[in-house]
Amino acid sequence: MTSSIMATSTGAANTADAQRNVWLLVASQSLGGAAPPIIISLGGIVGQMLASDPSLSTLPVSLYNLGLALSTIPAAVLMRRLGRRAAYVLGALLGSVSGLIATYGVVQGDFATFCVGAAMAGFYGACVQSYRFAATDAVEPSQRAKAISRIMVGGLVAAVIGPQVVIWTRDAWPMAPFAGSFLGQAGLALLALPLLWLLRAPPPQAAVAEGTARPVGTIARSPGFVVAVTAGIVSYGLMAFIMTAAPMAMVGCGHTVGEAALGIQWHVLAMFAPSFFTGHLIARFGKIAITALGLVLIAASGLLALAGLELLHFWGSLILLGVGWNFGFIGATAMVTDTYTPAERAKVQALNDFLVFGTVAVASFGSGRLLNTSGWETINTLMLPLIAVVLVMLGWLTLHRRRATASTTVTQ
């Protein structure tokens, strides 16, 4: 009886800690997730100011995405060895330092230094992206999608904070436009530090003791992992590709810069606003179904973009793209959490994020060039076959699991 009471008490404590961690991570996501909007919205503008070659103006943004992709595995190693809390605190510290370096680069008019600051911010970005996985560490499998969805709500707050920091601080430093915005980026990272320090994460080696880990190659070849990662890559990669190209396409079609900026603002809101109910939809209809719905919405955004070049075509396409990304990416992330044991958690999450954000880095490098060489219509046409392939893969995985379940039932 006593042991039963202790087990119940321990379970309740673990549940309370898990819920507490989720809300701390939501707040940390709201602050840490504000850095990318600052870097992405100002990186090209500052690049135009500082770079000797105009073709290098978008290099800081591309280096940020590349730094994020390359940092996913080192960040996961630190989480495994030191624990999530220590790794996240280090990430926030580096995020603050990166903002200071970028500020110094702007003040000194040094493009290379500014690029170093943008690239270094990628490590903090890798930590922030893993918050969605951290939220699932101590929750029941049936609640993982809802936990991930809650973390993404922090992205909605960040989408407001980031642009507001730019608006309020861009002229704060005399004789150095936008330097104050990157100083604000450093300040936001510092504000996240006490929240991350309050996390009650499991000890670094606790997960390892819970079972024997399979080789990462074995997991990477499993059908569930292959389909989940492919869905995540296509959802995020296409979103990044289209979002990067859309403002240039809008201006090229005669729309104003302000109209393009407003379209991106609606797009970002559409990316994160559905997070209030995405987890509930996944619980009701399943991970695969919601992931497929997200991909269908992304395809619909492409078809709407192909229907015309009026302002509403662009805005409507960007809104559909944002909602589709939300369903597709959260659903794919939830699918990944079903492919590993606690002992395999760190390396599988790192591999997933490396593949996803490596694709985003490539997309950010290539979108402008493809837009200039092939045009807006070609970009939207080329994404449709990719989505069709992933939808077929999701359908195959559904049939594969049904047959496996039926076979198990017959054997029993």
Side-chain angles (χ1 to χ4, degrees):
M1 177 68 73
T2 302
S3 60
S4 176
I5 294 174
M6 290 179 62
T8 301
S9 177
T10 302
N14 289 340
T15 300
D17 283 348
Q19 293 298 321
R20 180 175 180 272
N21 283 346
V22 165
W23 291 114
L24 286 171
L25 290 167
V26 169
S28 300
Q29 174 84 22
S30 301
L31 296 169
I38 295 172
I39 296 170
I40 292 171
S41 63
L42 294 181
I45 297 173
V46 174
Q48 287 180 328
M49 290 169 40
L50 303 182
S52 57
D53 183 352
S55 65
L56 297 177
S57 59
T58 60
L59 182 61
V61 177
S62 296
L63 287 176
Y64 167 75
N65 287 320
L66 182 62
L68 193 159
L70 294 178
S71 297
T72 53
I73 293 177
V77 171
L78 285 175
M79 291 175 210
R80 185 177 179 85
R81 294 183 178 178
L82 304 178
R84 288 201 190 271
R85 183 174 69 175
Y88 289 165
V89 167
L90 176 60
L93 286 172
L94 288 178
S96 183
V97 171
S98 72
L100 294 175
I101 292 175
T103 302
Y104 181 78
V106 175
V107 172
Q108 296 297 316
D110 189 330
F111 181 62
T113 300
F114 179 71
C115 286
V116 169
M120 185 181 292
F123 182 85
Y124 183 34
C127 292
V128 173
Q129 287 294 339
S130 78
Y131 292 171
R132 70 190 196 280
F133 284 121
T136 69
D137 283 352
V139 301
E140 296 295 326
S142 61
Q143 297 299 311
R144 287 174 180 168
K146 291 182 180 179
I148 295 169
S149 191
R150 285 178 185 171
I151 299 303
M152 302 302 282
V153 169
L156 177 62
V157 180
V160 175
I161 292 177
Q164 289 302 311
V165 168
V166 171
I167 291 170
W168 286 97
T169 62
R170 59 188 176 186
D171 298 319
W173 198 296
M175 306 302 292
F178 308 115
S181 298
F182 292 97
L183 194 61
Q185 172 201 330
L188 290 174
L190 284 178
L191 288 176
L193 276 174
L195 299 172
L196 295 168
W197 189 256
L198 291 172
L199 287 174
R200 293 176 181 171
Q205 298 302 319
V208 177
E210 294 181 25
T212 303
R214 295 169 293 170
V216 69
T218 301
I219 302 169
R221 290 190 296 270
S222 65
F225 182 83
V226 171
V227 176
V229 171
T230 303
I233 287 173
V234 171
S235 298
Y236 213 127
L238 288 178
M239 184 279 297
F241 199 88
I242 300 297
M243 182 179 70
T244 303
M248 294 182 286
M250 291 179 71
V251 173
C253 290
H255 303 294
T256 67
V257 173
E259 289 169 336
L262 188 57
I264 293 300
Q265 181 179 4
W266 279 109
H267 165 69
V268 173
L269 291 173
M271 285 173 62
F272 294 105
S275 298
F276 286 104
F277 54 82
T278 303
H280 296 285
L281 290 177
I282 290 175
R284 173 66 177 84
F285 298 104
K287 303 177 182 72
I288 293 179
I290 298 304
T291 303
L293 175 60
L295 290 163
V296 169
L297 289 173
I298 293 174
S301 77
L303 293 173
L304 181 57
L306 291 171
L309 299 175
E310 299 299 323
L311 192 60
L312 290 180
H313 289 105
F314 280 104
W315 284 359
S317 174
L318 286 169
I319 290 171
L320 284 174
L321 180 68
V323 177
W325 172 84
N326 184 280
F327 290 168
F329 187 60
I330 292 180
T333 300
M335 288 174 64
V336 171
T337 64
D338 291 336
T339 66
Y340 55 77
T341 65
E344 300 160 349
R345 178 169 57 207
K347 59 185 179 182
V348 176
Q349 292 172 359
L351 177 60
N352 174 78
D353 279 1
F354 175 76
L355 294 172
V356 170
F357 296 109
T359 302
V360 172
V362 172
S364 69
F365 274 105
S367 60
R369 180 178 296 274
L370 185 60
L371 178 66
N372 290 329
T373 58
S374 302
W376 176 244
E377 293 81 4
T378 300
I379 288 177
N380 284 280
T381 300
L382 289 177
M383 76 176 185
L384 298 176
L386 291 174
I387 292 172
V389 169
V390 182
L391 289 174
V392 170
M393 293 174 69
L394 289 168
W396 173 84
L397 182 62
T398 300
L399 292 175
H400 175 75
R401 289 181 173 174
R402 285 177 181 174
R403 288 171 182 169
T405 301
S407 177
T408 301
T409 303
V410 170
T411 303
Q412 291 177 345

